[in-house]
Amino acid sequence: MISTRVEKILKNPILTKEDIVYLLNTRDKERLALFGKAREMKKDYVGNKVYFRGLIEYANDCKKNCYYCGIRAGNNRYVRYRMTDSEVLEAVMFAQKNDYASIVIQSGEQTNQAFVSKVESLLKRIKKQTEGNIHVTLSLGEQSEETYLRWFEAGAHRYLLRIEVSNPELYKKLHPNNKTHNHSRRLESLNTLRKLHYQVGTGVMIGLPFQTISDLADDLIFFRDFDVDMVGMGPFIEHVDTPLYQYKNDLLPLTERFDLSLKMVAILRILMKNINIAATTAMQAIDPQGREKALMVGANVIMPNLTPVKYRQDYLLYENKPCVDEDAEECKSCLETRIHMAGDTIAYGEWGDSQHFQERIKKD
Ligand code: 5AD
Ligand code: SF4
Ligand code: FES
């Protein structure tokens, strides 16, 4: 049997940047060999289980102006909302009743004290209502160490903060150049979260203007070097109300951005065998079977949307976002069918901590 270059690479215990670039460029049979290996790694290390994280898109107010994002401060097309406490608690109740075991509270970035205290009190109410049985992840942007600590003590133990791109020069092209948008501050936030013993998740967008294959390989190496516990990443999808829309015609076609995203998931599963990797909603914005395809090449987490339907059209970070009209119940049954089609089972009732995190704290 002829040993192809991809087979040789996949046998290497540690992949070099050159190997990763090669894998990102694979086509046809070599691409399928990559996907096959990733699927095998998933089965061997994390099993065929999918963990649900009920997603609550808590508020769409954001002080930032990222050039790619639909809810950036500068876009006044959306009505700004914040869910009431009882709406949040109702969504939490749905998660609990349906055995989701874990929720994510996400919003645009707000750092004022009223917001910080509101989140803190909500966390305490959630803990009380669920008797500590629901695991809470936050995704509320860059905050001070004091805020992260207050939220940790109020009951949040996981945090998602995408680095967006690991290359600081590229970061500058995708954000205004000012104190609020600063790559090193974002990195510092990730380090602070780690120091405070959060389980830390990060991620990137794939197929951005000016982004190269070499940048994407560096993103994967960044996850490995940072020793991250969870990753959520997906294709960049241009939004008409954002500055990056002007580069629409220079982007990779959507199908290629999707394929690159699948390869990123597959390579990451090979690089970091026991972390949690999300099959992100943006994957499904391009391909109706996007999330199942991501599960088949290594992802093991899905975030069913629990946001009340009336707010969903105001949380459009990118175009074609799925599930805008479907409520929590519909998304649940839709995902059950999809996950079974991908050959996985849903780990109802399990917190699904990243195994990587558990092993990391044993070493610390
Ligand atoms: N396309 C894809 N993902 C996007 N995000 C923001 N805007 C877009 C877009 N246009 C992602 C960012 C952010 C996450 C909440 O959504 O990575 O961290
Ligand atoms: Fe705000 Fe996040 Fe959108 Fe940036 S990506 S504008 S921080 S919601
Ligand atoms: Fe929401 Fe399919 S997951 S409709």
Side-chain angles (χ1 to χ4, degrees), residues 62-66 68-73 107-109 164 317:
C62 187
K63 68 175 199 191
K64 285 199 171 174
N65 251 318
C66 308
Y68 39 83
C69 176
I71 65 168
R72 61 201 299 272
S107 80
E109 194 170 301
E164 311 297 2
L317 286 68

Side-chain angles (χ1 to χ4, degrees), residues 284 291 312 322-323 326-327 330-332 334-335 338:
Q284 199 181 313
R291 287 194 268 188
R312 292 203 191 180
C323 310
E326 287 81 2
D327 65 13
E330 286 167 298
C331 285
K332 177 178 185 250
C334 168
L335 285 172
R338 290 170 181 277

Side-chain angles (χ1 to χ4, degrees), residues 90-360:
E90 209 174 297
V92 172
M93 207 126 76
F94 179 92
Q96 199 176 16
K97 257 205 330 242
N98 289 279
D99 248 352
Y100 282 11
S102 174
I103 56 161
V104 179
I105 302 178
Q106 188 178 71
S107 80
E109 194 170 301
Q110 299 179 55
T111 47
N112 59 72
Q113 278 312 302
F115 180 79
V116 171
S117 304
K118 171 51 83 185
V119 171
E120 185 181 32
S121 77
L122 255 178
L123 285 167
K124 289 182 180 158
R125 288 186 71 179
I126 293 170
K127 281 277 131 178
K128 199 161 161 222
Q129 177 180 299
T130 64
E131 296 172 344
N133 282 323
I134 291 260
H135 211 120
V136 184
T137 305
L138 296 180
S139 177
L140 306 172
E142 292 165 47
Q143 303 286 343
S144 67
E145 178 165 347
E146 189 209 335
T147 299
Y148 284 147
L149 183 61
R150 272 172 69 183
W151 289 345
F152 189 88
E153 287 176 344
H157 297 145
R158 296 179 184 147
Y159 206 99
L160 306 176
L161 182 72
R162 289 189 178 181
I163 191 69
E164 311 297 2
V165 290
S166 62
N167 174 349
E169 289 311 310
L170 178 57
Y171 191 90
K172 280 192 199 147
K173 296 186 183 146
L174 307 171
H175 302 87
N177 279 317
N178 58 31
K179 270 208 312 235
T180 342
H181 304 80
N182 180 301
H183 194 256
S184 10
R185 263 199 59 207
R186 206 160 176 86
L187 259 180
E188 232 174 80
S189 289
L190 283 171
N191 282 314
T192 306
L193 289 162
R194 167 65 62 84
K195 187 177 89 185
L196 295 176
H197 303 295
Y198 275 94
Q199 293 181 46
V200 182
T202 189
V204 292
M205 282 172 286
I206 298 153
L208 288 155
F210 321 115
Q211 192 181 42
T212 63
I213 292 287
S214 164
D215 288 325
L216 291 172
D218 285 334
D219 289 342
L220 291 168
I221 292 169
F222 169 80
F223 300 147
R224 180 170 69 186
D225 290 348
F226 189 82
D227 203 19
V228 68
D229 303 309
M230 317 176 276
V231 171
M233 56 187 169
F236 162 68
I237 301 168
E238 63 275 22
H239 187 300
V240 63
D241 297 322
T242 61
L244 289 192
Y245 197 73
Q246 65 186 293
Y247 302 106
K248 177 178 175 314
N249 297 325
D250 307 328
L251 299 169
L252 286 175
L254 279 172
T255 48
E256 277 183 45
R257 271 179 259 167
F258 178 78
D259 192 58
L260 257 185
S261 305
L262 279 185
K263 287 175 183 161
M264 289 285 284
V265 168
I267 300 168
L268 182 61
R269 175 56 71 205
I270 294 165
L271 288 180
M272 302 189 77
K273 300 178 173 44
N274 59 0
I275 63 168
N276 280 344
I277 305 177
T280 55
T281 314
M283 306 276 293
Q284 199 181 313
I286 296 186
D287 181 322
Q289 267 116 43
R291 287 194 268 188
E292 297 90 295
K293 288 183 182 168
L295 292 177
M296 289 197 274
V297 300
N300 68 331
V301 166
I302 280 197
M303 291 157 68
N305 203 325
L306 301 182
T307 312
V309 172
K310 68 173 177 188
Y311 295 128
R312 292 203 191 180
Q313 70 281 10
D314 288 319
Y315 205 87
L316 300 183
L317 286 68
Y318 48 84
E319 313 230 316
N320 288 329
K321 193 173 166 216
C323 310
V324 171
D325 301 316
E326 287 81 2
D327 65 13
E329 196 70 63
E330 286 167 298
C331 285
K332 177 178 185 250
S333 50
C334 168
L335 285 172
E336 279 178 344
T337 317
R338 290 170 181 277
I339 290 164
H340 292 141
M341 268 167 14
D344 283 346
T345 51
I346 304 165
Y348 280 121
E350 292 183 42
W351 279 357
D353 279 334
S354 148
Q355 284 179 33
H356 187 79
F357 173 76
Q358 289 164 346
E359 279 165 33
R360 187 163 66 71

